């Protein structure tokens, strides 16, 4: 459990991945946290420029939602964040995705 918490604290895994690992351990998994992270191929996507590109692609694919958000439909933001998280396969930290999507939408509203 300590290794799991250390991995989460050091941003080696996301909170969703930590939750999955905790479930594995509760089900009797004997491998270490590091072994499971390697086996699943998990890593945290922390390259802001890559996340920004993925978010731009998401916004480009969903112009109706972007337009709705810019017209005041705040709930569209969660949709766009969710789609961006999906595109990163859950490997980006939600707070990073949220910040970047908001920045891109703010710059779109300034145009």
């Amino acid at each position: 459990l300590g290794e799991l918490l250390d991995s989460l604290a050091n941003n080696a895994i996301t909170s969703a991945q930590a939750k999955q690992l905790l479930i594995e351990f509760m089900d009797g998994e004997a491998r270490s946290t590091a072994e499971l992270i390697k086996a699943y191929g998990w890593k945290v996507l922390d390259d802001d420029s890559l996340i920004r590109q993925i978010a731009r692609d998401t916004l480009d694919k969903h112009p109706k939602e972007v337009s709705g958000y810019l017209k005041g439909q705040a709930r569209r933001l969660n949709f766009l964040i969710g789609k961006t998280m999906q595109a990163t396969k859950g490997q980006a930290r939600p707070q990073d995705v949220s910040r970047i999507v908001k920045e891109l939408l703010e710059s779109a509203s300034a145009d």
Side-chain angles (χ1 to χ4, degrees):
L1 186 58
E3 188 180 359
L4 171 66
L5 295 174
D6 286 343
S7 295
L8 184 59
N10 295 328
N11 294 317
I13 56 174
T14 66
S15 58
Q17 292 166 338
K19 181 179 177 182
Q20 182 60 41
L21 287 175
L22 186 58
I23 291 168
E24 296 279 342
F25 291 135
M26 291 177 72
D27 287 343
E29 178 59 60
R31 291 179 286 177
S32 72
T33 298
E35 290 171 329
L36 287 172
I37 290 170
K38 186 174 182 179
Y40 283 119
W42 286 342
K43 61 181 178 179
V44 173
L45 177 59
D46 58 2
D47 179 346
D48 273 9
S49 63
L50 181 56
I51 297 170
R52 187 172 303 280
Q53 184 57 50
I54 293 168
R56 272 193 202 107
D57 292 345
T58 299
L59 298 182
D60 289 345
K61 290 177 185 174
H62 301 283
K64 182 178 173 183
E65 284 75 14
V66 171
S67 177
Y69 176 80
L70 295 176
K71 291 178 182 174
Q73 297 174 355
R75 70 182 190 282
R76 304 286 181 144
L77 176 62
N78 290 334
F79 173 84
L80 294 166
I81 291 170
K83 287 295 185 182
T84 303
M85 285 297 299
Q86 186 178 42
T88 69
K89 297 179 175 77
Q91 292 187 334
R93 288 186 293 273
Q95 62 269 29
D96 292 342
V97 170
S98 178
R99 175 181 50 80
I100 289 170
V101 168
K102 287 176 185 176
E103 288 171 1
L104 291 173
L105 288 169
E106 286 173 13
S107 70
S109 69
D111 292 342

